[in-house]
Amino acid sequence: MKKKILITGGAGFIGSHLVRLMVTKYPDYQFFNLDALTYAGNLENLKDIEKFPNYHFVKANILDAALLKVLFHKYSITDVIHLAAESHVDRSIISPLDFVYTNVIGTVNLLNTAKDFWKGDLSYENAQDGTWDKRRDHLFYHVSTDEVYGSLGKNGLFKETTPYDPNSPYSASKASSDHFVRAYRETYHLPIIVSNCSNNYGPNHFPEKLIPLFIDNIINEKELPVYGDGLYTRDWLYVIDHARAIDLIFHEGKIGDTYNIGGFNEWTNIDLVKLLCLQMDKKLGRAKGESEGLIKYVKDRPGHDRRYAIDATKLEKELGWTPSVTFEQGLEATIDWFLKNKSWLDNISNNSYQSYFERNFRNVGEI
Ligand code: NAD
Ligand code: TYD
């Protein structure tokens, strides 16, 4: 069957890498990239593939249920890969409702539209007797985050069975959307898959998140604001490896299941920032240690999760996925990309984002 796949949020960071990977790999499928082009969406991310015959861009908001219905009918959508979201924790502290609208209500709109459009093909028997897995005529794939599991102590890893325990408005909204996706499986037999991934990094990463913000600041010799004691731990994955995992799970994952995605790559923020500073000093021809001098410990983020770490054993064992690059390789490729694409960063800094950042984001620790 020739698939007609709706990818939401394809103009964003992860979405654009996924769209590129799938559009180039599957010339027989048609791809519809639906994106509202919020501050985080950027069609420049997809310039190289925008003329491909199997790629189509639709500017639309997932809150517009009527329009979603029209689009599903017009393009006979067979599958959805849902990434559109408000994605930054600091913003969610400032404006939680934006996260409820897009991440929760937007997701439910999409679920409803898919359920209604595929209704004739969804059957209780199909869901109960396990044949779901064999019939891959439809799939609603929800891209989610490990942050739904809450915060780990010194030991342990997030498994697919770890209970949800979200702490930020962002993670609460993603947890809620995950629950709705699962509820649509149970209630309406919608064929779904959810994956929960650790922190991504790589080219096209919006410079409000730690790694691209600090690369930008190091280039411009601005302060590097490390929240709290800097001993918070994140598990970092190169964005292209996340896209590879989504592609694999989309095609071979068990329908109705959940998969954790991560590269067993934990770093405290301060160690990561020091490594980034070292690599940047080399690239910029600066004296060793120069960029480290820009580090400034600042007031902590409210409700800051101490540690995230993913157990990706299921994905590795069942589907044979492993990351393609080490952290050092991925970080170097990321730095090289940002240095080569300074205009991408400058274009973002020149639009309204900068004033939002200056007004709200820098002061988030003061809430
Ligand atoms: P991003 O903020 O870079 O991109 C989000 C995209 O969604 C943007 O293109 C934006 O224009 C679009 N969008 C936002 N609201 C919309 C709406 N109402 N209607 C239509 N489009 C809308 O985000 P990202 O970092 O690429 O994350 C993508 C997905 O992956 C999110 O669902 C996020 O929760 C999840 N995720 C992210 C990470 C990470 O480290 N960045 C890790 C795990 C999971
Ligand atoms: P971030 O990139 O915002 O991702 P998330 O909050 O989803 O994990 O932040 C990664 C870590 O870096 C997190 O522990 C918060 C910290 N951080 C800073 O210390 N300073 C900063 O300026 C930012 C943006 C993040």
Side-chain angles (χ1 to χ4, degrees):
M1 184 181 176
K2 299 243 162 94
K3 291 197 165 290
K4 295 184 174 172
I5 305 175
L6 184 76
I7 299 187
T8 68
F13 167 48
I14 300 168
S16 59
H17 287 281
L18 179 71
V19 166
R20 176 176 302 97
L21 183 143
M22 294 191 85
V23 163
T24 51
K25 190 168 169 188
Y26 303 105
D28 285 350
Y29 297 176
Q30 293 293 316
F31 293 93
F32 301 88
N33 171 15
L34 184 156
D35 198 298
L37 297 182
T38 67
Y39 80 95
N42 188 348
L43 288 178
E44 231 184 292
N45 295 349
L46 290 166
K47 267 255 161 291
D48 54 326
I49 59 134
E50 69 185 5
K51 300 246 156 58
F52 278 48
N54 61 338
Y55 171 73
H56 314 274
F57 176 68
V58 185
K59 185 172 186 303
N61 196 310
I62 55 170
L63 288 169
D64 189 342
L67 183 63
L68 290 180
K69 184 175 174 188
V70 170
L71 294 173
F72 269 68
H73 279 83
K74 183 169 174 197
Y75 300 122
S76 305
I77 297 301
T78 58
D79 299 81
V80 175
I81 308 181
H82 176 37
L83 295 98
E86 287 293 338
S87 68
H88 195 213
V89 174
D90 289 328
R91 281 179 186 260
S92 81
I93 296 167
I94 293 162
S95 333
L97 262 182
D98 292 343
F99 288 68
V100 176
Y101 288 131
T102 286
N103 299 1
V104 184
I105 299 174
T107 301
V108 176
N109 271 341
L110 264 177
L111 286 163
N112 266 336
T113 314
K115 164 186 75 81
D116 290 345
F117 187 63
W118 300 335
K119 194 162 55 192
D121 298 330
L122 311 180
S123 84
Y124 179 74
E125 292 71 28
N126 190 26
Q128 293 304 303
D129 69 8
T131 56
W132 255 9
D133 218 14
K134 296 174 189 67
R135 291 184 47 173
R136 299 197 78 103
D137 41 2
H138 301 300
L139 177 60
F140 189 107
Y141 185 132
H142 185 226
V143 175
S144 193
T145 166
D146 62 352
E147 303 192 23
V148 297
Y149 297 123
S151 187
L152 289 164
K154 278 208 172 78
N155 302 310
L157 299 170
F158 295 135
K159 295 181 188 307
E160 285 80 0
T161 49
T162 302
Y164 278 30
D165 190 18
N167 293 314
S168 73
Y170 165 65
S171 54
S173 69
K174 291 296 291 189
S176 171
S177 59
D178 286 6
H179 288 321
F180 270 104
V181 173
R182 295 151 83 103
Y184 271 62
R185 174 192 69 188
E186 293 304 316
T187 310
Y188 307 108
H189 326 302
L190 191 73
I192 60 104
I193 288 183
V194 177
S195 61
N196 299 85
C197 187
S198 60
N199 285 61
N200 285 215
Y201 69 97
N204 303 111
H205 204 180
F206 196 83
E208 63 186 350
K209 310 276 168 67
L210 179 74
I211 290 180
L213 173 68
F214 280 28
I215 291 176
D216 195 18
N217 286 5
I218 291 171
I219 294 172
N220 295 303
E221 298 181 77
K222 286 167 74 177
E223 274 171 6
L224 308 176
V226 172
Y227 297 164
D229 63 6
L231 297 176
Y232 294 87
T233 297
R234 296 292 181 266
D235 184 353
W236 294 93
L237 184 70
Y238 194 51
V239 62
I240 291 169
D241 283 327
H242 187 187
R244 287 175 51 246
I246 294 172
D247 173 28
L248 181 66
I249 295 168
F250 176 83
H251 286 97
E252 291 177 30
K254 188 166 175 329
I255 307 245
D257 254 14
T258 290
Y259 293 85
N260 279 356
I261 309 174
F264 295 98
N265 179 44
E266 286 182 55
W267 287 77
T268 62
N269 291 339
I270 193 63
D271 283 348
L272 182 150
V273 171
K274 285 183 177 166
L275 174 68
L276 185 66
C277 287
L278 264 183
Q279 289 204 359
M280 291 289 289
D281 282 343
K282 266 196 223 150
K283 296 279 175 196
L284 295 169
R286 292 183 186 162
K288 196 173 164 192
E290 202 174 318
S291 299
E292 254 191 61
L294 298 168
I295 292 174
K296 184 171 180 222
Y297 288 93
V298 298
K299 199 163 171 184
D300 212 347
R301 169 190 281 173
H304 198 169
D305 284 335
R306 193 62 168 167
R307 176 171 165 256
Y308 303 145
I310 279 274
D311 182 349
T313 308
K314 173 175 171 179
L315 179 60
E316 293 188 353
K317 282 213 169 123
E318 289 187 11
L319 302 185
W321 174 89
T322 48
S324 65
V325 294
T326 64
F327 187 53
E328 285 74 7
Q329 288 167 334
L331 196 59
E332 187 171 0
T334 304
I335 294 170
D336 286 344
W337 185 87
F338 276 100
L339 290 176
K340 263 201 213 116
N341 293 277
K342 270 225 31 41
S343 62
W344 185 90
L345 271 177
D346 293 341
N347 287 345
I348 287 171
S349 303
N350 290 338
N351 73 18
S352 58
Y353 164 67
Q354 192 66 37
S355 60
Y356 181 94
F357 174 84
E358 294 300 346
R359 234 178 323 122
N360 293 309
F361 173 65
R362 290 290 291 252
N363 296 326
V364 74
E366 276 152 36
I367 287 170

